[in-house]
């Protein structure tokens, strides 16, 4: 179960699948006015007449083809309802993420000039996260979202306040080691922080880290905050990224502990 793994066992679901519901109005009526809430109300009333009480459920998914809307999926943020016109596990996981209060996983696009400099958010463009554009069977919610909804506790995060060597375990796994640390959090200002994570299910993410990610992030954090970070990831590929970061920092006249 994807949610069991993603939540480290904190969330599991018991599901009920109702039979095909025939709504009281023709499809063209719902489609002509784009009324997803009208479809919701009619579906709930029809299901209740068949013995399914909507009040007994934390989340309700309305799965249909055709009908109102130009979306593949739609979910109320911090709400109860999901509408699926593209009926598959990935869309359901994404929209249920909205129900749990999560927004889209974006990409900060600086045009290749830097990692943390001036740029723009690209919607859905985090290709490693189910709330972005990931394959949901691989792309766990990111560490920021997991921490926000209580799946990744504060004690499993390195909050960086000084120079040092920090070991990160890959966070996209089904259980947490109480002794492990799965994210870095570096305060930027009163309202924002930089976060770092290491994934194990995406080799291309580690390749990006080798050529652009950890190397650039560490160099820019050094310049902006004067913090020396020795990142030790529990992955051979990520360790190679660390070594490349060390080389760049030596070029900058800095020193990294290993």
């Amino acid at each position: 179960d994807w949610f069991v793994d993603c939540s480290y066992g904190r969330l599991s679901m018991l599901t009920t699948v109702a039979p095909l519901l025939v709504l009281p109005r023709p499809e063209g009526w719902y489609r002509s006015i784009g009324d997803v809430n009208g479809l919701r109300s009619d579906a709930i009333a029809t299901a209740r007449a068949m013995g399914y009480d909507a009040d007994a459920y934390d989340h309700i998914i309305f799965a249909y083809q055709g009908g109102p809307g130009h979306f593949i999926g739609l979910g109320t943020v911090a709400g109860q309802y999901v509408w699926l016109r593209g009926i598959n596990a990935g869309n359901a996981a994404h929209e249920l993420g909205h129900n749990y209060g999560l927004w889209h996983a974006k990409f900060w696009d600086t045009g290749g000039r830097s990692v943390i400099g001036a740029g723009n958010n690209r919607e859905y463009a985090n290709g490693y996260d189910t709330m972005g554009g990931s394959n949901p069977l691989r792309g766990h919610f990111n560490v920021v979202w997991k921490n926000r909804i209580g799946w990744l506790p504060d004690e499993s995060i390195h909050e960086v306040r000084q120079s040092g060597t920090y070991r990160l375990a890959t966070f996209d796994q089904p259980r947490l080691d109480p002794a492990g640390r799965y994210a870095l959090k570096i305060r930027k200002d009163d309202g924002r922080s930089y976060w770092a994570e290491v994934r194990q299910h995406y080799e291309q993410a580690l390749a990006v880290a080798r050529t652009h990610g950890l190397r650039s992030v560490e160099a820019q954090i050094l310049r902006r905050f004067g913090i020396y970070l020795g990142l030790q990831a529990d992955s051979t590929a990520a360790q190679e990224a660390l070594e490349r970061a060390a080389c760049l920092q030596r070029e900058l006249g800095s020193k990294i502990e290993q």
Side-chain angles (χ1 to χ4, degrees):
D1 185 285
W2 187 83
F3 274 105
V4 173
D5 287 352
C6 189
S7 67
Y8 312 116
R10 288 174 167 81
L11 173 67
S12 60
M13 295 185 181
L14 295 175
T15 59
T16 299
V17 180
L20 179 66
L21 304 180
V22 179
L23 302 187
R25 311 173 200 269
E27 176 189 346
W29 185 88
Y30 298 103
R31 187 169 53 229
S32 66
I33 62 174
D35 187 10
V36 295
N37 288 316
L39 182 145
R40 178 199 70 194
S41 298
D42 286 351
I44 287 175
T46 302
R48 180 172 285 115
M50 299 173 64
Y52 298 93
D53 182 3
D55 295 336
Y57 300 94
D58 296 315
H59 302 278
I60 301 175
I61 298 177
F62 308 97
Y64 60 95
Q65 295 178 329
H70 300 286
F71 49 80
I72 295 175
L74 178 69
T76 52
V77 177
Q80 183 183 16
Y81 303 118
V82 167
W83 295 259
L84 290 182
R85 298 178 72 246
I87 304 171
N88 60 57
N91 292 336
H94 177 100
E95 303 307 337
L96 285 168
H98 285 314
N99 278 186
Y100 290 118
L102 306 183
W103 297 93
H104 290 148
K106 303 176 183 181
F107 171 69
W108 184 249
D109 187 358
T110 66
R113 295 183 297 274
S114 70
V115 175
I116 59 177
N120 298 284
N121 271 321
R122 287 175 52 197
E123 199 79 2
Y124 293 104
N126 183 337
Y128 308 118
D129 191 309
T130 289
M131 297 310 294
S134 150
N135 178 330
L137 299 181
R138 301 172 68 195
H140 279 208
F141 299 150
N142 62 68
V143 292
V144 182
W145 287 168
K146 287 192 178 193
N147 177 249
R148 181 171 296 179
I149 58 180
W151 295 352
L152 184 65
D154 290 343
E155 54 267 26
S156 294
I157 298 167
H158 284 302
E159 187 158 358
V160 177
R161 295 186 176 90
Q162 61 186 13
S163 303
T165 300
Y166 301 88
R167 178 177 293 276
L168 288 185
T170 53
F171 79 97
D172 51 341
Q173 54 181 294
R175 62 186 58 85
L176 297 177
D177 179 348
R181 297 295 179 269
Y182 298 88
L184 283 180
K185 182 179 180 182
I186 305 166
R187 182 180 180 274
K188 171 179 170 57
D189 54 36
D190 289 341
R192 295 173 293 177
S193 296
Y194 293 112
W195 291 73
E197 63 186 30
V198 180
R199 295 178 182 265
Q200 64 180 340
H201 291 309
Y202 282 97
E203 287 301 320
Q204 62 266 46
L206 296 173
V208 169
R210 280 200 298 272
T211 56
H212 300 293
L214 289 177
R215 181 174 64 186
S216 298
V217 170
E218 288 197 21
Q220 292 178 58
I221 288 173
L222 276 166
R223 288 199 294 270
R224 183 167 295 193
F225 300 104
I227 296 175
Y228 299 159
L229 299 179
L231 299 180
Q232 295 184 347
D234 293 340
S235 161
T236 300
Q239 182 62 32
E240 292 175 6
L242 171 63
E243 292 167 0
R244 290 174 181 265
C247 290
L248 183 64
Q249 288 184 354
R250 283 195 292 270
E251 292 174 9
L252 294 172
S254 303
K255 181 180 179 181
I256 187 170
E257 297 181 25
Q258 300 207 51

